[in-house]
Amino acid sequence: MSLVAALGALEIGLVYGLVAIGVFISFRVLNFPDLTVDGSFPLGAAVAAAGILGGIDPYLATLLAVVAGGLSGLVTAFLNIRFGILHLLASILTMTALYSINLRVMGKPNLAIIMEPTVISPFELFGLSGGTIKPIFGFVVVALVGALVAWYLLTDSGLGMRAAGANPRMARAQGVPTAAMTYFGMALSNALVGLAGALFAQMNGFADITMGTGTIVVGLAAVIAGEAILRPKGVVMAVVACIVGSVIYRFAVQFALNAEFIGMNPGDLNLLTAVLVTIALILPGARNPVKALMKKRGQGAPS
Amino acid sequence: MSIRRFALAMAALAAPLVLAGVPANAQEKSVAVTAIVEHPALDAVRDGVRDELEAQGYVPGENLAFTYETAQGNPAIASQIARQFAGENHDVIVPISTPSAQAVLSATDAVPVVFSAVTDPVAARLVGDPDNPKGRVTGVSDLSPVKRQLELIREVMPEAKTVGVLYNPGEANSVKILELLKQYGPEYDFNIVESVSPKSSGVLSATRNLVGKADAVYIPTDNTIISALESAIKVGMDNDLPIFAADTASVPRGAAMALGFDYYDLGRQTGRIVVRILEGEAPSEIPVESVQKTQLAVNPASAKRMGLEIPQAVMDRADEVVEE
């Protein structure tokens, strides 16, 4: 694997780390399986790209993308809470609607912003190549966002959100407004995904209507792989695990792309990626029986 | 000295000259191809590129390193592939389809790029001026010959007033073609009506939607519609509504006729540009090409079931007549 490819995997892993944190909030914290992300990721890309092409400052365009993502999360939460539509179904409805909305926003299925100014443009003056700036930029953004999310989850309000997801009835009994927490959490989750979409579009020079396909799978794989490897106990480590998991996922893909030497063909990419992620899931678990065995022996031995 | 010995001696003398004539073969060249998804048309482009390279003396595995990767429909993976290629020492990168080309372009600013099967390279910001690309990017566009297609429909259906277009609004290619149809339609006295289907499962009802509204149906090179072509053909046969396609592969499947091109030929054409760059030409000196070789395919039996009699003049110049 070349340095360029490794930096590329790192960069895309970091950007998708935002998706992973978003999925972590909906899936793990709120216990709300949310497929909206397949629509809010391209929505973020679409809003940012259309905004930049419309002459808006890239930072403002990115902010608009975050807001748009957040609104789409609110819609899903609204369908679920107000009308009692099953969360999975509510999110599928929003995702389906977003396809048309994204087409409307872009005006056509593909928008190119290769030559346009982006959020990264101001940093290109430092004499670093694009391939180096992008991962650094991605790292700074995901670290900042991760820190903010972790900080929030540690506040009283964040504790309330975690309680609302873990045991809504108990949370309500303790005076936590569970509906408000779900609205806020879903908005936050999809706002982060929208941000990821906006950054991905700017770092890669285009927004495409097909961009969202499989975002939820990638996000979930990152969350689960990160958890399996880091075994986080607290909130901070859980957020870190999302980012680490996302980067690991991208390196798995990169490895799969280089796997011709073991007789793989390009069509096997998804299969190999799935196998590598599965191995990442199994490995830490596989260590456990051994650990358990050691413990048992330790206890059994006469002291 | 016998004639045979003389010939051998001459051949031995000539051999270095022949080798000198193709210096490119002396050292190994490297070409990397990537496509957004595995799909019969895009695979045909890749095969065309490889076969053309081989025909011109760049044999994969011998004197040419030929790499191919597919993103399996995922733009994030497309950009990972692009960076992988950017980090390797390729002489030319060939991205097939718009998102793959954009990903490659943003990943590298050094390697020559020859895109293929990109409908509108200007809108995709791959080149500024297709006739004068300037940079390190050129390629072949797969835009259908819309004017000639309309002309053909006018020729076989002199009375038709309205042409219905079946397409997926999510496919850039189809959106561009619709725009051109609307632009050129009036020149041939056609009204253009649209019917959309974002999924292949919706093609049946989208075609039914055109019954009574259109005298003929035009199907662009749209992956979604073509994957469910049979449902459109069924509606056409049941309602005397002739179905025209933009790709010849749809004709044996039942479309009345198609004036289009073969994606394999598109790949060969792309391969010719790749060879020119391998042999030292600069991409900036090679204008973006559009499809050179078009084919006319007709299916008289199918056309008849759709209430269309193909004129003898058209039958005579068809490249392919599908017999049932």
Side-chain angles (χ1 to χ4, degrees), chain B residues 25 28 50 53-66:
Chain B
N25 285 9
E28 187 165 283
R50 195 185 49 216
L53 285 165
E54 191 161 348
Q56 300 220 27
Y58 295 92
V59 184
E62 276 181 34
N63 57 357
L64 176 75
F66 186 88

Side-chain angles (χ1 to χ4, degrees), chain A residues 11 116 204 254 257 267 270, chain B residues 69 72 83-84 102 125:
Chain A
E11 168 202 326
E116 307 297 328
N204 289 281
Q254 204 66 46
L257 285 173
N270 280 358
Chain B
E69 296 288 359
Q72 311 214 322
R83 300 198 194 194
Q84 158 132 346
Q102 289 168 329
R125 298 288 186 95

Side-chain angles (χ1 to χ4, degrees), chain A residues 122-200:
Chain A
F123 302 99
E124 278 166 358
L125 302 168
F126 296 148
L128 285 166
S129 77
T132 326
I133 294 172
K134 288 179 195 170
I136 294 173
F137 186 84
F139 180 80
V140 171
V141 172
V142 81
L144 271 175
V145 168
L148 279 173
V149 169
W151 168 80
Y152 169 72
L153 289 175
L154 288 171
T155 63
D156 283 351
S157 169
L159 186 63
M161 184 186 283
R162 287 187 280 154
N167 190 340
R169 195 175 288 176
M170 189 271 284
R172 267 193 298 276
Q174 301 295 325
V176 174
T178 50
M181 280 303 168
T182 307
Y183 277 118
F184 178 59
M186 289 297 287
L188 179 62
S189 161
N190 284 284
L192 296 181
V193 176
L195 174 62
L199 294 182
F200 183 83

Side-chain angles (χ1 to χ4, degrees), chain B residues 152 155-156 256-257 296-301 303 309-323:
Chain B
L152 177 73
E155 184 181 357
V156 299
M257 59 170 72
L296 174 61
V298 293
N299 188 334
E309 201 71 51
I310 300 176
Q312 196 55 43
V314 175
M315 288 294 290
D316 289 346
R317 64 169 199 268
D319 299 286
E320 187 191 352
V321 178
V322 176
E323 309 282 355

Side-chain angles (χ1 to χ4, degrees), chain A:
Chain A
M1 192 186 304
S2 70
L3 181 64
V4 179
L7 285 174
L10 179 64
E11 168 202 326
I12 296 166
L14 289 168
V15 171
Y16 272 84
L18 295 168
V19 174
I21 297 173
V23 169
F24 170 76
I25 292 171
S26 59
F27 189 67
R28 281 284 189 249
V29 175
L30 290 172
N31 203 12
F32 193 125
D34 176 29
L35 270 68
T36 314
V37 294
D38 273 28
S40 54
F41 185 82
L43 175 67
V47 169
I52 289 170
L53 286 173
I56 301 179
D57 179 78
Y59 281 88
L60 183 59
T62 307
L63 185 66
L64 288 175
V66 172
V67 171
L71 286 175
S72 68
L74 282 182
V75 171
T76 301
F78 184 69
L79 291 176
N80 173 249
I81 295 168
R82 180 71 182 76
F83 301 113
I85 300 172
L86 185 69
H87 31 41
L88 206 56
L89 191 56
S91 69
I92 290 174
L93 289 172
T94 313
M95 173 188 81
T96 307
L98 280 175
Y99 184 88
S100 301
I101 290 169
N102 293 343
L103 270 180
R104 278 274 174 161
V105 170
M106 297 204 285
K108 51 187 178 176
N110 179 291
L111 284 182
I113 48 171
I114 290 178
M115 307 299 177
E116 307 297 328
T118 68
V119 285
I120 304 146
S121 313
F123 302 99
E124 278 166 358
L125 302 168
F126 296 148
L128 285 166
S129 77
T132 326
I133 294 172
K134 288 179 195 170
I136 294 173
F137 186 84
F139 180 80
V140 171
V141 172
V142 81
L144 271 175
V145 168
L148 279 173
V149 169
W151 168 80
Y152 169 72
L153 289 175
L154 288 171
T155 63
D156 283 351
S157 169
L159 186 63
M161 184 186 283
R162 287 187 280 154
N167 190 340
R169 195 175 288 176
M170 189 271 284
R172 267 193 298 276
Q174 301 295 325
V176 174
T178 50
M181 280 303 168
T182 307
Y183 277 118
F184 178 59
M186 289 297 287
L188 179 62
S189 161
N190 284 284
L192 296 181
V193 176
L195 174 62
L199 294 182
F200 183 83
Q202 294 178 66
M203 286 173 168
N204 289 281
F206 67 99
D208 195 278
I209 192 73
T210 63
M211 241 172 200
T213 321
T215 306
I216 183 67
V217 179
V218 174
L220 271 179
V223 169
I224 295 170
E227 284 174 353
I229 290 162
L230 290 188
R231 302 257 151 167
K233 296 276 189 291
V235 168
V236 177
M237 279 313 283
V239 172
V240 172
C242 293
I243 304 167
V244 171
S246 176
V247 172
I248 287 171
Y249 178 85
R250 285 299 148 191
F251 276 94
V253 170
Q254 204 66 46
F255 177 78
L257 285 173
N258 283 298
E260 279 95 4
F261 61 91
I262 48 168
M264 305 290 291
N265 88 39
D268 300 331
L269 176 67
N270 280 358
L271 174 65
L272 184 59
T273 313
V275 169
L276 287 170
V277 173
T278 309
I279 292 172
L281 296 181
I282 296 170
L283 269 184
R287 240 189 279 126
N288 270 0
V290 182
K291 246 186 211 164
L293 200 70
M294 300 280 275
K295 236 183 191 173
K296 221 175 179 181
R297 274 189 186 161
Q299 279 170 355
S303 51

Side-chain angles (χ1 to χ4, degrees), chain B residues 144 149 219-222 226 229 244-253 255 257-263 295 297:
Chain B
S144 293
Q149 288 166 336
I219 296 180
T221 44
D222 184 301
I226 291 173
L229 183 70
F244 295 86
D247 69 307
T248 51
S250 291
V251 176
R253 289 173 69 185
M257 59 170 72
L259 175 70
F261 55 85
D262 185 18
Y263 274 86
Q295 297 249 326

